[in-house]
Amino acid sequence: MATQVAHLDFERAIADVEEQINALRTLARERGLDVSSEVVALERKLDDLKQDTFANLSPIERVQVARHPKRPYSMDYLEMVFTDFVELHGDRQYRDDEAIVGGWARLDGEPVMVIGHQKGRDMKENVLRNFGMPHPEGYRKALRLMKLADKFHRPLITLIDTMGAYPGLGAEERGQGEAIARNLREMAALGTPSVAVVIGEGGSGGALAIGVADRVLMLENSIYSVISPEGCAAILWKDAAHRDKAAQAMKITAGDLKGLGVIDEVITEPAGGAHGNWEETAAALKEALVRHVGELRLLSRDALRRARWDKYMGMGQVRAAR
């Protein structure tokens, strides 16, 4: 459970009220005072403040929430949403990439394959996880697990949370681009139900490599984009300081992408964001997964492939060249 959270700039007023509540409770405990009515009033104020603040976030503020260091990661959801998780390692070619985790688990009692990006909580873990940026062997591990799911016709669930695939020299030498491209092709052809969820950052091909699913969902304060707002600003305006303008123009929020038809559903986060209430977020995620997997289970392999083809071919607009 996330109890101690770092506060973002726009959460300062929320933090102040939380401090007042904690101070009153400490005073009551130390001096034996009854401050229940005051605490109840402040808790109501806190709830209203959270609702108002998070209902009116700008795109760049949602970027900050998506990157929040206390936001639940894939392994956290594996503990809260799934049971009986058995992690599988390695791509059978080079090594095991800790930036991608995956294995068999049960969702509401039913066996599924789960694959997700995994970031670290501290520097040591981030070095191990490479800040959630997979190498090609990570995507090859993911493909191996996808094919296992397809072989046994078990639903595939992917949890997306990466700033992008690792762009280092070694990764490129070992075929980063090819590994991502192969995953796109193979995911499009799977004969088993698949659901992808953007739980934090969905960055470029690094996210898409495990995101070509029958249903694509996003947590309310997650983002999904071809490039980061800072990267976009650096290219267009030669200055990353224009990231607010870039985030607005890029349409990277869950609401924007649902309106554009890129994703299928926005999963509502509790007031205060996923980082403020892990359990409620996990419950909402589980409900959505159970519902979508249940619907997709009713389709045959051929029907799944046809529906998936229609879904992705129907995105965007084609304009004739002049």
Side-chain angles (χ1 to χ4, degrees), residues 133-286:
M133 296 185 293
H135 293 77
E137 48 270 21
Y139 292 117
R140 291 180 181 127
K141 173 170 70 171
L143 180 58
R144 182 172 76 85
L145 303 190
M146 292 174 194
K147 287 185 172 295
L148 273 177
D150 198 28
K151 177 180 179 179
F152 296 105
H153 199 56
R154 299 301 187 188
L156 170 67
I157 295 169
T158 64
L159 304 175
I160 297 170
D161 188 14
T162 181
M163 64 181 77
Y166 184 59
L169 178 61
E172 297 297 343
E173 289 176 339
R174 294 193 302 278
Q176 184 73 287
E178 185 275 341
I180 291 173
R182 184 180 294 273
N183 277 26
L184 303 184
R185 184 187 71 183
E186 297 296 329
M187 280 198 83
L190 290 176
T192 197
S194 57
V195 179
V197 188
V198 185
I199 60 173
E201 289 185 272
S204 194
L208 199 58
I210 62 169
V212 185
D214 297 307
R215 304 281 171 84
V216 180
L217 320 178
M218 287 180 70
L219 288 179
E220 183 180 4
N221 294 309
S222 59
I223 58 170
Y224 203 12
S225 64
V226 70
I227 192 172
S228 69
E230 295 86 353
C232 175
I235 292 171
L236 295 184
W237 295 286
K238 312 300 181 186
D239 187 351
H242 290 285
R243 63 177 194 156
D244 298 44
K245 190 190 306 184
Q248 181 69 43
M250 290 166 63
K251 305 300 181 187
I252 62 177
T253 67
D256 285 332
L257 292 167
K258 178 65 169 64
L260 292 169
V262 174
I263 67 167
D264 301 290
E265 182 178 329
V266 178
I267 302 173
T268 303
E269 295 184 24
H275 60 279
N277 192 325
W278 287 21
E279 288 80 5
E280 191 174 328
T281 306
L285 174 59
K286 181 177 181 179

Side-chain angles (χ1 to χ4, degrees), residues 5-294:
V5 299
H7 289 94
L8 302 170
D9 289 343
F10 58 83
E11 294 180 301
R12 190 64 259 170
I14 293 172
D16 289 342
V17 177
E18 288 176 340
E19 289 172 5
Q20 291 176 43
I21 292 173
N22 290 333
L24 275 176
R25 286 174 173 163
T26 300
L27 186 66
R29 188 168 55 251
E30 292 177 348
R31 300 189 181 182
L33 302 176
D34 181 9
V35 295
S36 56
S37 60
E38 289 85 351
V39 169
V40 168
L42 282 173
E43 286 178 337
R44 288 200 195 99
K45 179 180 179 181
L46 180 62
D47 288 341
D48 291 342
L49 197 53
K50 285 181 177 180
Q51 292 283 358
D52 292 342
T53 300
F54 280 81
N56 296 287
L57 294 180
S58 67
I60 197 60
E61 287 172 337
R62 292 198 189 276
V63 171
Q64 294 175 56
V65 177
R67 295 172 176 170
H68 200 289
K70 295 297 183 181
R71 194 172 176 85
Y73 295 152
S74 293
M75 292 297 288
D76 301 312
Y77 288 120
L78 277 163
E79 290 183 8
M80 295 184 291
V81 174
F82 304 89
T83 59
D84 303 321
F85 175 60
V86 178
E87 187 172 1
L88 302 176
H89 297 272
D91 67 342
R92 300 297 187 266
Q93 296 184 46
Y94 185 67
R95 69 177 178 96
D96 186 40
D97 186 348
E98 299 279 2
I100 291 277
V101 296
W104 294 112
R106 291 186 183 275
L107 174 67
D108 204 30
E110 297 295 326
V112 295
M113 178 66 77
V114 187
I115 302 169
H117 298 101
Q118 180 64 26
K119 298 177 179 178
R121 293 284 176 202
D122 53 34
M123 184 53 67
K124 182 178 180 180
E125 191 178 1
N126 266 319
V127 170
L128 175 69
R129 303 289 185 183
N130 200 38
F131 295 85
M133 296 185 293
H135 293 77
E137 48 270 21
Y139 292 117
R140 291 180 181 127
K141 173 170 70 171
L143 180 58
R144 182 172 76 85
L145 303 190
M146 292 174 194
K147 287 185 172 295
L148 273 177
D150 198 28
K151 177 180 179 179
F152 296 105
H153 199 56
R154 299 301 187 188
L156 170 67
I157 295 169
T158 64
L159 304 175
I160 297 170
D161 188 14
T162 181
M163 64 181 77
Y166 184 59
L169 178 61
E172 297 297 343
E173 289 176 339
R174 294 193 302 278
Q176 184 73 287
E178 185 275 341
I180 291 173
R182 184 180 294 273
N183 277 26
L184 303 184
R185 184 187 71 183
E186 297 296 329
M187 280 198 83
L190 290 176
T192 197
S194 57
V195 179
V197 188
V198 185
I199 60 173
E201 289 185 272
S204 194
L208 199 58
I210 62 169
V212 185
D214 297 307
R215 304 281 171 84
V216 180
L217 320 178
M218 287 180 70
L219 288 179
E220 183 180 4
N221 294 309
S222 59
I223 58 170
Y224 203 12
S225 64
V226 70
I227 192 172
S228 69
E230 295 86 353
C232 175
I235 292 171
L236 295 184
W237 295 286
K238 312 300 181 186
D239 187 351
H242 290 285
R243 63 177 194 156
D244 298 44
K245 190 190 306 184
Q248 181 69 43
M250 290 166 63
K251 305 300 181 187
I252 62 177
T253 67
D256 285 332
L257 292 167
K258 178 65 169 64
L260 292 169
V262 174
I263 67 167
D264 301 290
E265 182 178 329
V266 178
I267 302 173
T268 303
E269 295 184 24
H275 60 279
N277 192 325
W278 287 21
E279 288 80 5
E280 191 174 328
T281 306
L285 174 59
K286 181 177 181 179
E287 186 280 327
L289 288 174
V290 170
R291 175 163 40 84
H292 284 284
V293 168

Side-chain angles (χ1 to χ4, degrees), residues 289-303:
L289 288 174
V290 170
R291 175 163 40 84
H292 284 284
V293 168
E295 293 171 0
L296 292 168
R297 280 181 184 276
L298 302 177
L299 302 178
S300 67
R301 286 179 176 266
D302 287 341

